[in-house]
Amino acid sequence: MAGHLGFSYIGVIFLMMLMIPNIIWTKHQPKGYDPTGENKILLLFERIGQVLVCTCALIFSDFNIHDTWQANIWLIIAFLCMLLYEGFWMQYFRSEQSLHDFYSDFLHIPLAGATLPVLAFFLLGIHGQVIWMLFSITILGIGHIGIHLQHASQLS
């Protein structure tokens, strides 16, 4: 459960799927987006979690494809979550790019922009049986989903 040190090409793929839409988002932020009032504790959890998750995704070879498809079922489900995450971004980029669009559901998944990648990386941790990823994504999830909940609640 501690993991085997080594390069994870799956981790690179997941991180690219995560970061590319976020880089594009920096040029297409929702009108009225203002991060200044974010809870400092949640922000700390988010930042620490980001560093830990990115590091874990790259340095544990346990996330790579295993020998049998049964051993890869969690990886397949995690990848499907990342594909849904990409779908959320396509929906957002085609929208008016309002705050409501950014904090919207996607296919009935609440706060899909925050919950889908957290779920995907949690499932990746299960696939690789790496406790460090499970710990790291829990820290990130508390901060990231918490901040999104805070912003979404201000829309009501």
Side-chain angles (χ1 to χ4, degrees):
M1 287 285 296
H4 298 92
L5 291 177
F7 179 71
S8 173
Y9 57 87
I10 294 294
V12 169
I13 293 168
F14 271 56
L15 289 173
M16 286 176 50
M17 292 176 78
L18 180 73
M19 291 183 184
I20 290 171
N22 280 279
I23 291 168
I24 296 168
W25 174 81
T26 62
K27 301 285 186 196
H28 299 276
Q29 291 183 9
K31 299 160 192 76
Y33 177 73
D34 181 15
T36 57
E38 292 175 348
N39 181 295
K40 300 299 182 206
I41 294 172
L42 292 177
L43 190 59
L44 180 65
F45 271 66
E46 182 184 47
R47 295 296 183 254
I48 291 170
Q50 287 170 336
V51 170
L52 293 174
V53 167
C54 289
T55 302
C56 285
L58 296 173
I59 69 166
F60 290 111
S61 60
D62 307 81
F63 302 130
N64 294 332
I65 296 174
H66 297 171
D67 294 337
T68 65
W69 81 268
Q70 294 93 340
N72 293 305
I73 193 70
W74 292 113
L75 177 60
I76 293 165
I77 298 168
F79 185 71
L80 290 173
C81 288
M82 288 305 291
L83 288 177
L84 288 171
Y85 178 67
E86 301 304 318
F88 161 79
W89 280 113
M90 285 190 273
Q91 173 183 280
Y92 173 76
F93 290 132
R94 290 180 182 159
S95 73
E96 295 177 13
Q97 298 175 7
S98 69
L99 287 169
H100 183 270
D101 296 322
F102 186 58
Y103 297 109
S104 68
D105 296 352
F106 179 71
L107 299 176
H108 303 289
I109 300 167
L111 294 173
T115 56
L116 283 169
V118 169
L119 178 59
F121 278 88
F122 190 84
L123 293 171
L124 186 63
I126 292 172
H127 162 72
Q129 298 181 351
V130 177
I131 192 74
W132 303 113
M133 176 63 88
L134 297 173
F135 171 77
S136 300
I137 196 61
T138 300
I139 297 298
L140 174 59
I142 290 168
H144 193 57
I145 294 171
I147 288 170
H148 275 249
L149 282 169
Q150 178 186 0
H151 284 285
S153 69
Q154 294 169 351
L155 294 178
S156 305

